[in-house]
Amino acid sequence: MIYLVAGARPNFMKIAPIVRALQTLGGLIFRIIHTGQHYDREMNDVFFEELGIPAPDVFMGAGGGSHSQQTSRIMIAFEELCLRERPHIVVVVGDVNSTLACSIVAKKLDIPVAHVEAGLRSGDMRMPEEINRLVTDSISDFFFVTEPSGVAHLRHEGKEDAAIHYVGHVMVDNLLYQVEKLTHADTSVYETSLFKTAHLTNERGYGVVTLHRPSNVDDPETLGGISSALNDIASELPLIFPVHPRTRVNLDKFDIHLGPNVTLVGPQAYMPFLNLWKDATVVLTDSGGLQEETTALGVPCITIRDNTERPVTVEEGTNVLAGTDPLRIIAEVRRVLRGEGKKGRRPHLWDGKAAQRIVQILATEYARGEP
């Protein structure tokens, strides 16, 4: 029995290709475990149907709260689940609190842990995700790695080569799967379709913005500077900004106003958002996953952060680290508008087959009598 653990919407996008690969291979029994870390009204039957996977087998309903409260509730619920029906291996993805909590529980119960997206490091210990990544990798047994830097970090941290598997990226697997589905979808029903249609006819197109990291949106000076840059850019390139709830609250709290050329919309479901950004002239973001997805589709990306745990997107892809200096952000966008932006390429093994490699490795371990 394999437990596939997910706690938030992006986690399900990462386990979905693994589920599809397990279904194709057959012979390996698995269960999808939803910790309930985030409640998301978009995660309904349609959501799972779009991913091509069944709804979760278990919903633990952990809920929100502080990092400690959330992590502890997940640990208690997951321990009870593992004691009732002991899995042979627990597969965790990414770097959310569910990843950390379920890894610790499994390891203390002597259940092997496999970490998908292992080895990513930003070097920024102020990021909760960095703590989750470090702790999870310190106790995992199988490391499924997305890029060369992950292999290097794990080796530096003393992991054995036999446990490190450079397999590619399941998020790219899912991205390519969903892009194909979009070719057959009626995208006119999406909230942002009118904006996209109107601005695709413009010579310069449009840009897409996402901001959610506390370091960017919780400080009035930082958020004010970024917003000033967005207003400046929007005088040359229309922008659309699906606003994260945290960001929306702080824009109001700090009395920060975005101009008429920045179109504010609510948070978007995956498919409508993919339909929006995949044809953008440029994406401005502080999201880790979006750095990778834009690289995979060759869309210029300006990352509003000083560091990234996904350096391959900068070294090989279309991503540029601009930091939070408004002048630098504006300059990088103008480079794109002049046709001088990074072209990049899709990294090695980002070919839509990472999940197949992961499942084959798990099947091989089972054949050997492990775990």
Side-chain angles (χ1 to χ4, degrees):
M1 171 76 72
I2 299 171
Y3 274 7
L4 301 171
V5 175
R9 182 164 42 154
N11 291 168
F12 283 96
M13 296 167 194
K14 293 170 185 176
I15 69 166
I18 301 174
V19 171
R20 295 193 296 265
L22 284 164
Q23 291 171 327
T24 300
L25 178 68
L28 295 179
I29 300 171
F30 66 92
R31 299 188 77 189
I32 302 172
I33 313 299
H34 182 1
T35 68
Q37 175 176 327
H38 290 162
Y39 170 74
D40 190 333
R41 63 184 178 83
E42 299 292 343
M43 282 175 50
N44 49 31
D45 291 343
V46 174
F47 172 77
F48 295 108
E49 183 180 333
E50 285 180 346
L51 290 177
I53 64 173
D57 298 285
V58 176
F59 177 73
M60 298 190 331
S66 71
H67 286 282
S68 296
Q69 291 168 335
Q70 187 177 74
T71 302
S72 61
R73 283 198 296 269
I74 295 169
M75 290 181 70
I76 291 168
F78 191 63
E79 182 180 58
E80 292 174 355
L81 180 63
C82 288
L83 289 173
R84 285 199 308 269
E85 181 186 58
R86 187 180 180 87
H88 294 90
I89 187 169
V90 170
V91 177
V92 296
V93 297
D95 50 25
V96 298
N97 288 340
S98 297
T99 307
L100 169 71
C102 296
S103 298
I104 293 174
V105 168
K107 197 63 179 176
K108 288 196 172 187
L109 292 176
D110 199 29
I111 300 169
V113 176
H115 185 200
V116 177
E117 277 192 335
L120 297 180
R121 302 288 182 267
S122 69
D124 186 352
M125 296 298 285
R126 297 170 299 174
M127 294 175 62
E129 299 92 340
E130 184 77 350
I131 307 301
N132 292 346
R133 288 188 284 260
L134 285 163
V135 175
T136 300
D137 282 342
S138 72
I139 59 176
S140 291
D141 300 279
F142 300 91
F143 306 93
F144 295 118
V145 182
T146 61
E147 61 170 272
S149 72
V151 175
H153 289 138
L154 292 168
R155 285 174 173 166
H156 178 72
E157 292 164 12
K159 308 307 178 189
E160 296 182 2
D161 281 353
I164 302 171
H165 305 278
Y166 180 19
V167 294
H169 203 338
V170 290
M171 197 65 170
V172 175
D173 290 13
N174 186 66
L175 173 66
L176 299 179
Y177 177 86
Q178 302 293 357
V179 166
E180 172 60 24
K181 291 198 74 170
L182 270 178
T183 63
H184 308 291
D186 177 10
T187 59
S188 66
V189 300
Y190 297 153
E191 174 191 1
T192 57
S193 63
L194 289 177
F195 175 93
K196 176 178 177 178
T197 301
H199 292 290
L200 272 183
T201 59
N202 295 340
E203 180 182 350
R204 288 189 164 180
Y206 61 91
V208 174
V209 180
T210 77
L211 288 173
H212 75 282
R213 293 199 175 275
S215 58
N216 280 340
V217 304
D218 286 359
D219 179 75
E221 184 176 348
T222 302
L223 183 57
I226 295 170
S227 298
S228 174
L230 296 179
N231 283 331
D232 197 305
I233 292 163
S235 67
E236 303 176 53
L237 179 75
L239 299 177
I240 185 166
F241 185 177
V243 187
H244 189 279
R246 182 189 197 110
T247 309
R248 176 81 71 172
V249 167
N250 286 336
L251 286 170
D252 294 338
K253 177 181 176 181
F254 303 142
D255 197 27
I256 295 171
H257 301 281
L258 291 163
N261 291 328
V262 182
T263 300
L264 304 181
V265 295
Q268 299 293 298
Y270 184 80
M271 290 291 271
F273 185 54
L274 170 58
N275 182 63
L276 179 66
W277 71 255
K278 74 180 181 67
D279 296 311
T281 302
V282 65
V283 171
L284 297 104
T285 187
D286 58 9
S287 162
L290 202 47
Q291 294 174 57
E292 294 172 322
E293 291 189 306
T294 49
T295 276
L297 294 189
V299 178
C301 179
I302 311 299
T303 296
I304 305 175
R305 286 171 52 184
D306 294 318
N307 53 56
T308 179
E309 63 282 359
R310 293 154 167 93
V312 74
T313 63
V314 176
E315 295 162 1
E316 300 182 27
T318 56
N319 187 24
V320 175
L321 283 180
T324 57
D325 177 7
L327 294 179
R328 175 78 191 281
I329 296 169
I330 294 166
E332 292 297 344
V333 172
R334 285 177 174 162
R335 285 184 61 194
V336 173
L337 295 180
R338 292 195 304 267
E340 300 171 1
K342 289 183 69 180
K343 304 305 179 187
R345 64 181 179 86
R346 190 179 293 174
H348 180 53
L349 296 183
W350 288 23
D351 56 3
K353 299 178 181 178
Q356 296 176 31
R357 299 182 187 103
I358 290 170
V359 168
Q360 192 56 58
I361 291 165
L362 293 176
T364 299
E365 296 301 327
Y366 270 89
R368 292 174 179 167
E370 303 172 6

